[in-house]
């Protein structure tokens, strides 16, 4: 799948509006040419401050991930022992005098955290929540014309720690834009699209548009709404006229019927667009494009989840917002790489744990066919261990504003099917105040988006009494973390309740709770990928993911694929140490051949029958158990090849083999794609693997791999997935882990890139990439 380039819909809007003579609404990427200083600086908000010696960079930028791991860092366990503090950003820009009288706004998709923003020395505001998107009107404080400069300054303050139970990052870590509109304009996030009536024959698309008049005069406006198909072709257009008084806002509702719609689904995520034009006296003064999908869904108390009349399970994974070696500033192709891995494992749903994500992440879910639980907060007013000084300090003052901004921003995404307003909340939910906190949030979400249900991830319901005090009955869908048997028992006692597992581990009992109960709408595994933080030193990464930080398969992802994939699957793992000791690993090369002879082997498969072979000799066949548990073999270890074959109705449909590796001999490089675009959001993943002379991967190799790069690119980050490694990510070398290292490669010009990997005593490897135009 191509990388999604329309960050926060900017690129998409420009592409569609290109059919007009000239787009009226101007959206300019504001990411480049910032100056940065990683310390508190007196006077940096002033227009005449000299920042000429500051570091020059582009955003998105996470300065915390650039630092060194240190047990003494104040972020501690939650923040992954990476640096915290204050970072300042400044940028100068000029505006043509023809823009005088326009509304000019700055949009931030996320600044971590406690951000303050100034324009030309004037303070615009503060946003404590680092995950929220926000904007400021700059219009009254700008200079226009030749030679007249404007200075925007941003302070991100992460000094108060520990501020989170998991890694947050630091700085302007998401995209920015400068937006120019008329004083009479369509509101930011002011177009709301729903599809209340859907069938394969026809669908009703309802569009509500909020228009604001910030001028001093009343006007008669015409709002035109067009539905465009995936190719940009206009299907149908409606329009209406209405008067709008000065300094007021109005809502206009349009309803459009689409014949024979292409429904958005997990298998075929077809997308449409709404093009909104606003004019006065025949002159277009604003325009906006919003993407959406035509689908209907429901959560049913007896049968779980339905999409377009099809009943199936939400096979979900929770994801934190970091991208491993790149920290919180995550290029979109990192998410694309990760989501593809999750799809391979059978995952069809994502829970945004536990905060709003970057808007382009949701665009990607729309395009790839993931269902999404969109979540607001990890805490309300009560603090949590290892994050005592987090959002709980701000919730009372900011929850309503932050919830409103998330829902307004996200509600047109067809991927989103449910909102969550909290994760394992420690506030007392057994009193009227606790009931009211939840009700206020649920009511606000319903007001802003009546088309989706609301849940939260309940924490230890037996202790909080939410299953006996009436709290669960107030929820649209009852969500619970872990303790699946309690959730099953709740539904059996109160069958009118809709239920979903909001956070679940990888064990078979939790899998069976979903498989064997039709009323269980789905579950979300903790987690899809290993994530930074929430780990005790010397570990710096939480290792509960289906995949490690670089996307390597693990025991739980291999097993999950055998449970959730629709295609024939067969995998084998063995106990790492003799006689069943250690972890399950997927290789046939013990670390100590002299002490390893009793190999416990597990086969993960959805096939009717599996047969195991060692050096060509059959070790027997085993049928599929009724509970889908692994098929276990006790094998006397021999060097060579172990192979498993999966059969359905006697026919071989899948196989896998592992070979014993010899001493490391050479490095071979592979890459996920050979062409890369010269944009911030595109990354190529070059993997260096250590092989023996026969071409077998050496899983125990830990050689120091050194990368060099020439041509039109750079090494953006480097990683090996080791949850206890303290090596720097922004580096040129790293030790191999499980025999491999991954380098993230970015382009910085048009041309070719050559990447080379070397290690002492090994034959080097190289690979070439081509940089192409946008």
């Amino acid at each position: 799948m191509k990388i999604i380039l329309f960050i926060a819909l900017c690129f998409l809007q420009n592409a569609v509006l290109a059919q007009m003579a000239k787009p009226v609404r101007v959206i300019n990427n504001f990411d480049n040419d910032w100056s940065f200083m990683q310390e508190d600086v007196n006077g940096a908000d002033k227009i005449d401050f000299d920042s000429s010696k500051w570091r020059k960079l582009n955003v998105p930028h996470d300065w915390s991930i650039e630092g060194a791991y240190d047990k003494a860092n104040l972020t501690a366990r939650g923040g992954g022992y990476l640096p915290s503090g204050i970072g300042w950003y400044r940028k100068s820009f000029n505006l043509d005098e023809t823009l005088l009288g326009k509304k000019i706004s700055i949009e931030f998709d996320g600044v971590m955290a406690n951000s303050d923003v100034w324009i030309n020395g004037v303070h615009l505001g503060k946003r404590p929540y680092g995950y929220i998107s926000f904007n400021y009107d700059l219009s009254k404080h700008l200079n226009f014309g030749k030679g007249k400069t404007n200075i925007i300054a941003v302070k991100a303050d992460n000094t108060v720690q520990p501020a989170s139970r998991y890694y947050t990052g630091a700085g302007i870590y998401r995209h920015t834009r400068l937006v120019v509109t008329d004083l009479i304009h369509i509101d930011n996030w002011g177009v709301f699209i729903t599809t209340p009536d859907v069938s394969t024959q026809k669908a009703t698309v309802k569009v509500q548009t909020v228009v604001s008049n910030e001028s001093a005069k009343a006007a008669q406006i015409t709002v035109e709404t067009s539905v465009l198909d995936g190719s940009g072709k206009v299907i149908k257009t409606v329009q209406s006229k209405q008067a709008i008084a000065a300094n007021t806002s109005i809502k206009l509702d349009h309803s459009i019927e689409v014949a024979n719609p292409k429904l958005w689904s997990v298998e075929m995520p077809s997308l449409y667009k709404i093009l909104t034009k606003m004019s006065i006296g025949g002159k277009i003064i604003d325009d906006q494009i919003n993407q959406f999908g035509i689908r209907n869904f429901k959560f049913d108390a007896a049968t779980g989840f339905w999409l377009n009349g099809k009943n199936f399970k939400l096979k979900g994974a929770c994801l934190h917002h970091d991208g491993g070696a790149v920290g919180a500033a995550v290029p979109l192709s990192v998410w694309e790489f990760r989501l593809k891995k999750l799809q391979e494992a059978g995952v069809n749903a994502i829970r945004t744990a536990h905060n709003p994500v970057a808007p382009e992440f949701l665009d990607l879910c729309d395009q790839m066919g993931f269902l999404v639980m969109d979540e607001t907060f990890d805490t309300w007013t009560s603090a949590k261990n290892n994050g005592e000084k987090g959002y709980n300090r701000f919730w009372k003052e900011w929850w309503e504003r932050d919830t409103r901004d998330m829902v307004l921003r996200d509600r047109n995404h067809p991927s989103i099917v449910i909102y969550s307003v909290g994760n394992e909340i420690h506030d007392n939910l057994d009193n009227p105040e606790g009931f009211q906190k939840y009700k206020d949030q649920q009511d606000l979400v319903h007001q802003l988006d009546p088309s989706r249900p609301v849940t939260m991830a309940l924490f230890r319901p037996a202790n909080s009494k939410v299953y006996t005090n009436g709290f669960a009955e107030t929820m649209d869908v009852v969500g619970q973390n872990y303790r699946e048997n309690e959730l099953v028992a709740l539904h059996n006692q109160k069958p009118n309740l809709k239920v979903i597992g909001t956070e679940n581990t990888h064990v078979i009992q939790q899998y069976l709770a979903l498989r064997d109960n039709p009323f269980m709408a789905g579950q979300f595994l903790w987690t899809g990928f290993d994530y930074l933080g929430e780990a005790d030193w010397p570990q710096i990464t939480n290792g509960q993911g289906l995949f490690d930080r670089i996307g390597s398969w693990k025991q739980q992802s291999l097993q999950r694929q055998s449970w959730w994939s629709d295609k024939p699957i067969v995998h084998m793992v063995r106990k790492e140490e003799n006689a069943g000791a250690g972890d399950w690993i997927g290789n046939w090369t013990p670390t100590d051949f002299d002490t390893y002879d009793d190999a416990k082997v597990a086969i993960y498969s959805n096939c009717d029958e599996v047969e195991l072979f060692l050096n060509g000799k059959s070790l027997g066949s085993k049928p599929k158990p009724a509970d889908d548990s692994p098929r276990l073999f006790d094998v006397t270890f021999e060097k060579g090849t172990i192979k498993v074959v999966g059969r359905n109705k006697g026919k071989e449909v899948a196989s896998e083999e592992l070979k014993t590796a010899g001493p490391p001999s050479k490095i071979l490089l592979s890459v996920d794609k050979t062409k890369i675009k010269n944009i911030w959001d595109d990354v190529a993943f070059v993997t260096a693997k250590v092989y023996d002379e026969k071409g077998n991967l050496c899983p125990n190799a830990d050689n120091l791999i050194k990368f060099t790069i020439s041509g039109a690119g750079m090494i953006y980050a480097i990683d090996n997935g080791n949850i206890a490694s303290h090596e720097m990510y922004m580096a040129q070398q790293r030790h191999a882990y499980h025999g491999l290292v991954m380098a993230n490669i970015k382009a910085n010009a048009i041309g070719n890139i050559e990447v080379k990997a070397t290690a002492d005593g090994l034959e080097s490897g190289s690979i070439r990439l081509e940089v192409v135009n946008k």
Side-chain angles (χ1 to χ4, degrees), residues 8-25:
L9 301 180
C10 298
F11 298 103
L12 173 64
Q13 172 154 335
N14 289 337
V16 175
L17 295 178
Q19 64 184 288
M20 297 186 285
K22 183 180 179 181
V24 179
R25 174 175 291 237

Side-chain angles (χ1 to χ4, degrees), residues 24-45:
V24 179
R25 174 175 291 237
V26 179
I27 303 175
N28 291 317
N29 184 295
F30 208 62
D31 289 345
N32 295 339
D33 304 320
W34 289 81
S35 298
F36 171 71
M37 176 60 72
Q38 188 182 322
E39 63 182 57
D40 198 6
V41 183
N42 290 329
D45 56 315

Side-chain angles (χ1 to χ4, degrees), residues 219-382:
Q220 183 77 20
I221 62 171
T222 299
V223 174
E224 180 180 278
T225 301
S226 300
V227 177
L228 283 64
D229 64 17
S231 67
K233 179 182 177 182
V234 175
I235 297 175
K236 190 175 291 186
T237 298
V238 298
Q239 65 174 223
S240 59
K241 296 181 179 181
Q242 189 164 333
I244 181 170
N247 299 309
T248 60
S249 296
I250 60 172
K251 293 180 180 179
L252 297 95
D253 294 303
H254 286 157
S255 182
I256 302 176
E257 187 174 290
V258 176
N260 304 312
K262 294 181 178 180
L263 303 188
W264 187 94
S265 67
V266 171
E267 300 81 10
M268 292 290 292
S270 301
L271 293 169
Y272 290 79
K273 304 175 187 70
I274 289 292
L275 173 60
T276 307
K277 300 179 187 178
M278 184 172 63
S279 60
I280 296 178
K283 179 183 178 182
I284 299 174
I285 62 169
D286 197 9
D287 41 37
Q288 196 179 106
I289 193 76
N290 287 277
Q291 189 162 256
F292 74 104
I294 297 175
R295 85 285 186 269
N296 61 15
F297 68 89
K298 67 176 181 179
F299 288 86
D300 182 77
T303 56
F305 181 75
W306 294 75
L307 179 67
N308 301 328
K310 180 181 178 181
N311 182 214
F312 61 91
K313 303 288 190 182
L314 292 174
K315 301 175 180 178
C318 303
L319 285 179
H320 273 311
H321 76 296
D322 78 80
V326 300
V330 188
L332 196 56
S333 54
V334 172
W335 287 127
E336 184 179 30
F337 173 83
R338 291 184 163 202
L339 290 177
K340 284 180 178 178
K341 286 282 187 179
L342 291 172
Q343 279 186 329
E344 287 182 51
V347 172
N348 64 15
I350 301 297
R351 176 184 175 213
T352 66
H354 305 289
N355 41 258
V357 291
E360 65 268 22
F361 177 88
L362 296 172
D363 295 336
L364 194 57
C365 290
D366 291 344
Q367 295 208 2
M368 294 183 70
F370 280 93
L371 301 161
V372 174
M373 177 182 289
D374 201 14
E375 194 158 69
T376 53
F377 310 121
D378 185 44
T379 57
W380 295 353
T381 61
S382 293

Side-chain angles (χ1 to χ4, degrees), residues 573-575 577 579-581 584 596 598-602 633-635:
V573 293
R574 65 173 177 89
K575 280 293 187 175
E577 299 174 23
W584 290 106
Y596 194 85
D598 182 4
K600 306 298 183 183
V601 175
F633 290 81
D634 210 348
V635 180

